[in-house]
Amino acid sequence: MELVFPEGFQWGTAISSFQAEMGRGKPSKDTDWWAWVHDPDNIKVGRVSGDSPVDGPGFWEMYDDDFERCRSELGNNAVRLSIDWGRIFPEVTSGVEVKVKRDQHGNVWDLELDDSMDSLHRIADEDAVARYREILSSAARHGLTPMLTLYHWPIPLWLHDPIESRDTGGNCEANGWLSQETIVEFGKFCAYVAHRLGNLVDVYATVNEPRIVAEHGYLTERGEFPPGLNDPELFLRCLKHVSMAHGVAYDQVKKWDRAEASAYGPSYVGLVSVLQSYVPADPSEPDDVRMSRYIEYVFNEWGLNAVFHGDYDMDADMVVDPEEQMPYLVKGCDFLGVNYYSLWRVKHRKDGGHPLLSYGFEPCAGDCSDYGWEIYPEGLRSVLSWAYRRYRRPIFVTENGIADEKDERRTRYLRSHLEQVHKAISQDGVPVKGYYYWTLMDNFEWSDGYQIRFGLYGVDPDTKRRTPTKAVGAYREIAQNNTLII
Ligand code: FCB
């Protein structure tokens, strides 16, 4: 059977700056993530692997060859990449004055920085701006429409000292997303990027996966993401602020990018959310059933309700009280990016005092990836349909992929998930506009380093030579023909 995708469907891969850029050329050392993965205590207790992003695939210099592969070997017409805030503004921008509007509780809801662009320009690292301009021009030369993610996790060290935040429980000055000052500085960064790169980009993803940033940073026993805390109140505060950051970024990009680079122009701005399948570990156990629904609500829904409806359920009790409704924080979201990987079986555990401290996930027992993530293609269709029914925006699958070092399951994973995307489009009427496989080549998988291999290409750590996995040919055939044959 031939499953034909809609005309103009975007076929791509996704990468992120911290994970893929380093390995060749100038490393990016001025971020919280850099400090985090090199901290001796973190390495000693296993919060992080001890690997360094500096041994990465070297996209910073090899982008042209990589895009050539995307075009000629993968038959792609799109690519998703991110821009490193710490490269553009290694120096503090807080001294640049902008007009900040806040509500009566001090929540930031608007920025005006008309007179500040020159000051930002004086602070920005011009070489980094120039390099991103070359990277984006190369994408265009290779016929790849770029989607640029503005925040894919590292933030400048001057805004977030993750070690101090870890050691003080978040009570320090540079405490990242716990403070709304980070939203203000992010707004400046987004305005500047849109101003300087806008003629080369139309499609922007403001924030990658607010929930993962908040969960792995502030609701974690292992402490794997900066700043490695475990406190539901801080988790919710971070989730709130990152959701608000989307709105501020949306406004700034719309304002500062007036140049058309493609049919999406001048700007098409969305949020990337990670939506997973959650089921009770034991469906006959009412506590597991309740907990599974609760986790689905907090992890999949909470952030989207904030961005789309202005509902900030700060006590996460599944009821939005009048004082938790802040409709003026709703700015816009032209599309929704959905990252989907797997199914999670939720277990109610001993009462930890807060529901967010009283759950766990069963270890994967069935069809599992190297990461221990359960493979469940049908879940992709259901989250796409669910998200579209509720939020009514065009959708891109902005990440989907598998850690599979032996290269045994990647092709099956890709094909089975694309079949579900097609069902979502043809049977459920979901306007899915594109699909980006995570990821182009093996890269630095955050706290787990290089052992986890999602790449369509393997990478030799010394020569940086890329070796195709079996899925490369399979993906090319699908992308080039805009058709999946099953
Ligand atoms: C997602 C991240 C991406 C990568 C994949 C495996 O949560 O957005 O950077 O780590 O998981």
Side-chain angles (χ1 to χ4, degrees), residues 2 32 38 46 51 62 70 101 115 214 233 295 300 450 472:
E2 292 196 350
D32 59 346
H38 292 102
D51 291 350
M62 298 183 65
C70 291
K101 292 191 195 143
D115 307 325
E233 195 269 325
I295 289 300
N300 281 0
Y450 297 106
V472 165

Side-chain angles (χ1 to χ4, degrees), residues 19 152-153 208-209 339 341 373 399 438 445-446 454:
Q19 295 176 274
H152 202 131
W153 302 356
N208 183 65
E209 302 183 341
N339 293 354
Y341 288 93
W373 296 1
E399 285 179 29
W438 181 272
E445 181 48 42
W446 306 108
F454 278 92

Side-chain angles (χ1 to χ4, degrees), residues 385 388 392 423-432:
S385 301
Y388 183 61
R392 293 276 151 194
K423 279 190 179 153
I425 298 170
S426 60
Q427 295 181 30
D428 306 339
V430 184
V432 184

Side-chain angles (χ1 to χ4, degrees), residues 174-319:
N175 65 355
W177 289 115
L178 294 181
S179 159
Q180 295 210 12
E181 292 322 301
T182 299
I183 304 177
V184 174
E185 299 312 311
F186 184 58
K188 294 177 190 171
F189 166 65
C190 294
Y192 188 71
V193 170
H195 180 55
R196 296 298 309 280
L197 306 181
N199 65 333
L200 301 170
V201 191
D202 289 337
V203 188
Y204 296 84
T206 53
V207 165
N208 183 65
E209 302 183 341
R211 187 268 289 181
I212 296 287
V213 177
E215 181 204 349
H216 291 272
Y218 297 94
L219 195 65
T220 157
E221 281 172 22
R222 177 180 162 202
E224 63 274 21
F225 278 25
L229 299 174
N230 195 19
D231 178 339
E233 195 269 325
L234 299 183
F235 160 77
L236 287 161
R237 203 199 308 172
C238 174
L239 195 53
K240 171 188 172 187
H241 291 169
V242 178
S243 305
M244 289 166 67
H246 162 82
V248 168
Y250 181 90
D251 274 358
Q252 294 305 325
V253 172
K254 288 279 165 187
K255 184 155 178 197
W256 290 97
D257 181 352
R258 297 278 169 75
E260 256 170 53
S262 69
Y264 290 99
S267 65
Y268 193 60
V269 186
L271 168 80
V272 169
S273 199
V274 58
L275 304 179
Q276 306 296 285
S277 289
Y278 297 101
V279 295
D282 179 351
S284 67
E285 192 50 70
D287 280 348
D288 284 2
V289 173
R290 261 195 304 276
M291 191 50 95
S292 162
R293 172 65 196 119
Y294 183 70
I295 289 300
E296 184 179 47
Y297 166 75
V298 177
F299 283 10
N300 281 0
E301 259 181 79
W302 198 106
L304 294 175
N305 291 344
V307 164
F308 286 100
H309 303 146
D311 290 347
Y312 286 79
D313 180 11
M314 291 313 295
D315 51 7
D317 64 350
M318 303 180 86
V319 178

Side-chain angles (χ1 to χ4, degrees), residues 52 135 199 216 236 302 310 382 390 483:
S52 168
I135 291 174
N199 65 333
H216 291 272
L236 287 161
W302 198 106
S382 22
R390 270 184 81 99
T483 303

